[in-house]
Amino acid sequence: MRVDIVSIFPEYFAPLDLSLIGKARANGTLRLAVHDLRTWTHDVHRTVDDTPYGGGPGMVMRPEPWGEALDALAPGELSPDGHTLPRLIVPSPAGVPFTQALAHELAAESHLLFACGRYEGIDQRVLDHAATRMPVTEVSLGDYVLFGGEVAVLVILEAVTRLLPGVLGNAGSLDEESHAHGLLEAPLYTKPATWRGLDVPEVLRSGDHGRIARWRRDEALLRTAGRRPDMIGALAPETLDKRDRAT
Ligand SMILES: Nc1cc(-c2ccc3ccn(Cc4ccccc4)c3c2)n[nH]1
């Protein structure tokens, strides 16, 4: 997967040299480049913002630098080296919710282009014009307001990269984690069997894999019902067997 990120704070992405994302970059699973939006400014002050039409607080990011940046990073329908157009992802408080399902969708893309807004946001015409040439998705991490898109891109990239083949050592862990089957994951335990007077549930030390799977399922259902009742309502009927319905 190819990933391009455009930001006025490229140094925000230094953490992407670390850990499993760093390894994915080193082994070619992820080809990532971070670009400074000011590259595409031409005035002595390298201006990227201006006052909002219609008034209101703060500043808005000017369309011209963004237009040139997207032209440079998403050139034409099919560039000479066979690159197809990227999918443009724009973090925004007004975006669609970022979910594990969307993470899987993005993990299937060959080229992602992230536009990190700052100030009050990016001139709408940048997104409208981009949408005439490539898929554009505004994505929200949740109902709270960040300073800009950079942290959101770090979160989105982590959720997407860990789904790429070979990035996670034990791919099996993808199956059981929270949100993998529409449920929160069951509680986790490791050695010692007793810690500060607290014991690991006996079933987990029984070696009875059928009982263990059942226990984990029950715990996941109870935890989800208690913390995220909205997820219970969204479960596909077939994911609940008759015993679950009795729970
Ligand atoms: N889920 C989520 C996403 C964001 C986000 C994303 C990009 C930007 C660009 C500028 N801001 C700040 C801001 C935007 C709108 C109104 C006031 C300030 C951003 C916030 N916040 N929360």
Side-chain angles (χ1 to χ4, degrees), residues 91-93 117-121 140-142 144-149:
S92 162
R118 277 276 159 167
Y119 307 98
E120 299 298 309
S140 167
L141 287 197
Y144 44 83
V145 183
L146 301 168
F147 278 119

Side-chain angles (χ1 to χ4, degrees), residues 5-238:
I5 304 171
V6 183
S7 166
I8 59 172
F9 294 119
E11 57 275 20
Y12 246 92
F13 297 99
L16 295 179
D17 294 330
L18 306 172
S19 184
L20 291 179
I21 289 188
K23 287 196 177 73
R25 295 177 69 184
N27 70 25
T29 300
L30 184 65
R31 288 173 294 121
L32 185 139
V34 182
H35 310 271
D36 185 339
L37 177 67
R38 295 187 198 275
T39 304
W40 290 282
T41 61
H42 308 292
D43 62 303
V44 67
H45 297 296
R46 311 188 82 194
T47 311
V48 292
D49 64 311
D50 205 333
T51 53
Y53 273 118
M59 303 290 275
V60 175
M61 298 193 94
R62 296 171 52 232
E64 299 94 330
W66 278 111
E68 291 186 30
L70 299 186
D71 289 348
L73 298 171
E77 188 65 30
L78 200 59
S79 45
D81 56 356
H83 271 303
T84 56
L85 275 168
R87 180 166 178 177
L88 178 62
I89 305 298
V90 186
S92 162
V96 297
F98 183 61
T99 62
Q100 191 66 7
L102 182 50
H104 278 283
E105 201 181 301
L106 298 184
E109 296 285 349
S110 56
H111 184 187
L112 296 177
L113 174 51
F114 289 95
C116 297
R118 277 276 159 167
Y119 307 98
E120 299 298 309
I122 302 171
D123 186 297
Q124 182 60 40
R125 291 167 294 179
V126 174
L127 284 71
D128 295 347
H129 184 269
T132 68
R133 302 196 306 115
M134 69 192 96
V136 178
T137 310
E138 289 184 70
V139 177
S140 167
L141 287 197
D143 294 336
Y144 44 83
V145 183
L146 301 168
F147 278 119
E150 285 81 6
V151 166
V153 170
L154 285 170
V155 169
I156 293 166
L157 259 184
E158 185 154 316
V160 170
T161 304
R162 63 194 300 278
L163 298 176
L164 297 179
V167 172
L168 268 192
N170 168 17
S173 63
L174 286 177
D175 295 338
E176 293 309 313
E177 63 187 11
S178 288
H179 304 281
H181 292 299
L183 292 174
L184 301 182
E185 70 186 19
L188 298 171
Y189 299 88
T190 187
K191 293 187 283 297
T194 297
W195 176 73
R196 296 188 181 183
L198 300 170
D199 295 336
V200 171
E202 175 276 327
V203 60
L204 294 180
R205 303 176 62 225
S206 69
D208 180 337
H209 297 294
R211 273 187 68 207
I212 291 169
R214 184 80 255 149
W215 179 88
R216 284 177 168 157
R217 171 85 176 167
D218 291 349
E219 288 296 312
L221 275 169
L222 286 170
R223 188 178 251 195
T224 307
R227 298 178 185 176
R228 292 291 304 276
D230 60 295
M231 290 174 65
I232 294 287
L235 279 179
E238 63 274 11

